[in-house]
Amino acid sequence: MDIVILGSGNVATHFAQNFHHQGHKIKQIFSQKKANAQALAFAVHADSITEISEMQRHADLYVIAVSDQAISSLIMDFPTDLSGIVVHCSGATEMDVLNKFKHYGVIYPPQSISKNEDSDFSQIPFCIEGNTPKVQATLLTLIHTIAPLSFACSSSQRLAIHVASVFANNFTNALFQISYELLQKHDLPFDLVRPIILETAKKVQTRIPKEVQTGPAVRNDKITIKKHLNFIREQDDWKQIYQLLSQEIVKRKS
């Protein structure tokens, strides 16, 4: 396929590299920052552009890999007579934001992707949606060349995956940071809790999280909970988080 990548950040970089490695032709890389466009374009043997007016009109696929907030403003300058499929990569943006085009869809990777870190696309179940059965089938065939676990899903299912990912990834990482700061405050290294983080993540690979829940809340150990809350009494935010999550665990137990 001939592909145009719009964006030069984390997701755009990995898409461009993976498609390139699988033999697809990356025709152009677009970025408003010339240096960024040139750097990624050089890596995948593509041309770099900084204006939508320079975009080729006869590519097979146009991948919009920019922030959710930038999608609508970016496509305002797109020609509407593109023969190829236009997709975005957002988990929370409706597919129909692209309905000005004849062929459109979504390729969403439910994964935290960083430009300078390897991401094994073969292990990521990409969420695929198309505005017609033919478009969806074409996108699935394409994405299976780089991410064989990919599957078709609706916009509502994609949003459910996005919200679930925020709970499972973003929120847990914020809790890791609280653990880090609490330990630092008492001259202890974060390495002390890394094993339990890994063990918990390992358990939920094969079991339902509720089944492996541990801790004072699931035991209804009110004495320990009170002691913990008193220990972090100077951190009101931490106390609220501790109480809310403890209440959630107790509710799930019943």
Side-chain angles (χ1 to χ4, degrees):
M1 269 195 173
D2 289 346
I3 301 172
V4 173
I5 305 288
L6 296 114
S8 58
N10 297 328
V11 175
T13 296
H14 282 279
F15 267 118
Q17 292 174 341
N18 276 273
F19 281 135
H20 174 67
H21 290 157
Q22 289 300 319
H24 299 288
K25 177 64 176 178
I26 309 301
K27 303 295 289 186
Q28 293 176 314
I29 300 292
F30 164 84
S31 176
Q32 293 179 332
K33 296 182 178 179
K34 185 176 181 179
N36 291 351
Q38 289 178 331
L40 181 53
F42 178 80
V44 296
H45 305 155
D47 294 327
S48 63
I49 59 173
T50 57
E51 301 290 341
I52 294 298
S53 60
E54 301 175 293
M55 188 175 69
Q56 293 189 10
R57 295 195 177 198
H58 301 291
D60 300 306
L61 180 69
Y62 299 83
V63 179
I64 301 172
V66 298
S67 68
D68 291 10
Q69 296 78 12
I71 294 173
S72 294
S73 59
L74 182 65
I75 63 175
M76 286 179 63
D77 296 327
F78 271 46
T80 58
D81 60 347
L82 296 174
S83 58
I85 302 172
V86 181
V87 301
H88 69 63
C89 306
S90 168
T93 304
E94 294 81 0
M95 177 180 65
D96 286 347
V97 72
L98 302 174
N99 63 11
K100 64 184 284 186
F101 307 107
K102 184 177 181 180
H103 310 294
Y104 59 94
V106 179
I107 300 175
Y108 165 58
Q111 177 67 280
S112 292
I113 296 176
S114 298
K115 183 185 296 188
N116 298 318
E117 295 183 13
D118 290 337
S119 288
D120 185 357
F121 276 19
S122 69
Q123 298 302 309
I124 301 174
F126 282 66
C127 305
I128 307 301
E129 188 174 6
N131 71 309
T132 68
K134 183 177 180 180
V135 167
Q136 186 158 286
T138 299
L139 292 176
L140 278 169
T141 299
L142 168 67
I143 205 65
H144 279 157
T145 65
I146 63 172
L149 299 181
S150 301
F151 66 102
C153 74
S154 66
S155 287
S156 60
Q157 289 174 322
R158 176 162 42 87
L159 184 57
I161 294 169
H162 192 260
V163 176
S165 297
V166 169
F167 273 102
N169 179 36
N170 306 137
F171 290 168
T172 54
N173 193 65
L175 295 178
F176 296 158
Q177 182 61 28
I178 291 175
S179 295
Y180 174 85
E181 292 175 14
L182 192 155
L183 291 168
Q184 285 280 299
K185 185 176 180 180
H186 294 277
D187 300 319
L188 294 166
F190 187 60
D191 284 346
L192 292 173
V193 296
R194 283 194 166 108
I196 197 170
I197 291 172
L198 291 174
E199 180 63 21
T200 302
K202 181 180 178 181
K203 286 178 180 177
V204 298
Q205 299 306 307
T206 56
R207 300 177 66 184
I208 296 173
K210 179 181 177 180
E211 296 176 350
V212 297
Q213 184 69 59
T214 60
V218 78
R219 298 192 304 269
N220 198 28
D221 184 349
K222 296 179 180 179
I223 294 175
T224 298
I225 290 174
K226 184 176 181 180
K227 186 180 293 184
H228 287 177
L229 290 170
N230 183 61
F231 188 74
I232 59 174
R233 62 186 179 276
E234 295 179 359
Q235 299 288 341
D236 288 338
D237 290 346
W238 294 3
K239 284 181 61 179
Q240 291 181 42
I241 292 170
Y242 188 106
Q243 289 172 318
L244 284 171
L245 290 178
S246 293
Q247 291 168 10
E248 186 67 19
I249 291 170
V250 171
K251 181 174 69 176
R252 295 284 179 228
K253 179 185 176 183
S254 59

